[in-house]
Amino acid sequence: MRVAMALLVLALLALAGAGGYGHKLSGDLQNANKIIGTLSAGLESRDAAIARLQQAAAEREKSELALRVSLNNAGAVALTREVKIQRLINENETLRHWVNTALPDAVIRLQERPAFANANDYLRWVSEGNKLPLSGQ
């Protein structure tokens, strides 16, 4: 009887240990499921971001293509105008002479004025003893 009792106690202890181990495994499973859910949400978020970036890239490519077409059209128009201007210059002796004549001194002086980014640059330039030519001359 004592042996049976010892075996029964031993079986109950083994059952309790198995139950505790099962409970621990159940908690581990819940934690793993939470981690899987978090990772799945992260993957969905990443996939959505990738889709947005791919859509933005496709729109950018369309815009670039439209700009290239516009640039090509503008280049063709500019070339046509340049050819027309050269033809008109070559046809008209007075215009050809005017184009080949040097600019007047007043215009050259205007082009020699330095470009200033701000007032401090101008003040520094004037304090060095430089003067701007009068634009009315």
Side-chain angles (χ1 to χ4, degrees), residues 3 7 21 37 46 50 71 80 108:
V3 173
L7 286 175
Y21 184 70
R46 185 207 60 186
I50 289 172
L71 180 62
T80 303
I108 292 172

Short mmCIF file of all heavy atoms in Angstrom, two decimals, residues 3 7 21 37 46 50 71 80 108:
data_model
loop_
_atom_site.label_atom_id
_atom_site.label_comp_id
_atom_site.label_asym_id
_atom_site.label_seq_id
_atom_site.Cartn_x
_atom_site.Cartn_y
_atom_site.Cartn_z
N VAL A 3 3.75 1.51 -1.24
CA VAL A 3 4.34 1.64 -2.59
C VAL A 3 3.31 2.28 -3.52
O VAL A 3 3.64 3.15 -4.31
CB VAL A 3 4.79 0.26 -3.10
CG1 VAL A 3 5.24 0.32 -4.53
CG2 VAL A 3 5.86 -0.31 -2.23
N LEU A 7 3.71 5.78 -5.32
CA LEU A 7 3.55 5.90 -6.77
C LEU A 7 2.48 6.93 -7.10
O LEU A 7 2.61 7.70 -8.08
CB LEU A 7 3.20 4.55 -7.38
CG LEU A 7 4.34 3.53 -7.47
CD1 LEU A 7 3.82 2.20 -7.99
CD2 LEU A 7 5.44 4.05 -8.37
N TYR A 21 4.62 23.02 -16.46
CA TYR A 21 5.39 23.16 -17.70
C TYR A 21 4.46 23.54 -18.87
O TYR A 21 4.80 24.37 -19.70
CB TYR A 21 6.14 21.86 -17.99
CG TYR A 21 7.03 21.93 -19.20
CD1 TYR A 21 8.19 22.70 -19.18
CD2 TYR A 21 6.72 21.22 -20.37
CE1 TYR A 21 9.01 22.76 -20.29
CE2 TYR A 21 7.52 21.28 -21.48
CZ TYR A 21 8.67 22.05 -21.45
OH TYR A 21 9.48 22.12 -22.55
N GLY A 37 2.51 38.99 -34.19
CA GLY A 37 1.58 40.06 -34.56
C GLY A 37 2.30 41.39 -34.78
O GLY A 37 2.03 42.11 -35.74
N ARG A 46 5.93 48.23 -43.67
CA ARG A 46 7.05 48.30 -44.61
C ARG A 46 6.58 48.12 -46.05
O ARG A 46 6.97 48.85 -46.94
CB ARG A 46 8.08 47.25 -44.26
CG ARG A 46 9.34 47.33 -45.13
CD ARG A 46 10.03 46.03 -45.27
NE ARG A 46 9.10 45.07 -45.89
CZ ARG A 46 9.38 43.81 -46.05
NH1 ARG A 46 10.50 43.32 -45.60
NH2 ARG A 46 8.52 43.00 -46.63
N ILE A 50 6.90 50.75 -49.09
CA ILE A 50 7.53 50.38 -50.36
C ILE A 50 6.58 50.70 -51.51
O ILE A 50 6.99 51.24 -52.54
CB ILE A 50 7.94 48.89 -50.36
CG1 ILE A 50 9.14 48.69 -49.43
CG2 ILE A 50 8.26 48.41 -51.76
CD1 ILE A 50 9.51 47.24 -49.20
N LEU A 71 11.48 70.00 -72.83
CA LEU A 71 12.82 70.52 -73.13
C LEU A 71 13.16 70.31 -74.60
O LEU A 71 13.71 71.22 -75.24
CB LEU A 71 13.85 69.83 -72.24
CG LEU A 71 15.31 70.26 -72.42
CD1 LEU A 71 15.47 71.74 -72.09
CD2 LEU A 71 16.22 69.42 -71.56
N THR A 80 14.73 76.81 -84.21
CA THR A 80 13.99 77.42 -85.32
C THR A 80 14.11 78.94 -85.26
O THR A 80 14.34 79.60 -86.29
CB THR A 80 12.50 77.00 -85.25
OG1 THR A 80 12.42 75.59 -85.29
CG2 THR A 80 11.71 77.60 -86.37
N ILE A 108 28.76 98.93 -71.80
CA ILE A 108 29.89 98.14 -71.30
C ILE A 108 30.11 98.43 -69.82
O ILE A 108 30.34 97.52 -69.02
CB ILE A 108 31.16 98.42 -72.13
CG1 ILE A 108 30.96 97.86 -73.54
CG2 ILE A 108 32.38 97.81 -71.47
CD1 ILE A 108 32.06 98.24 -74.51
#
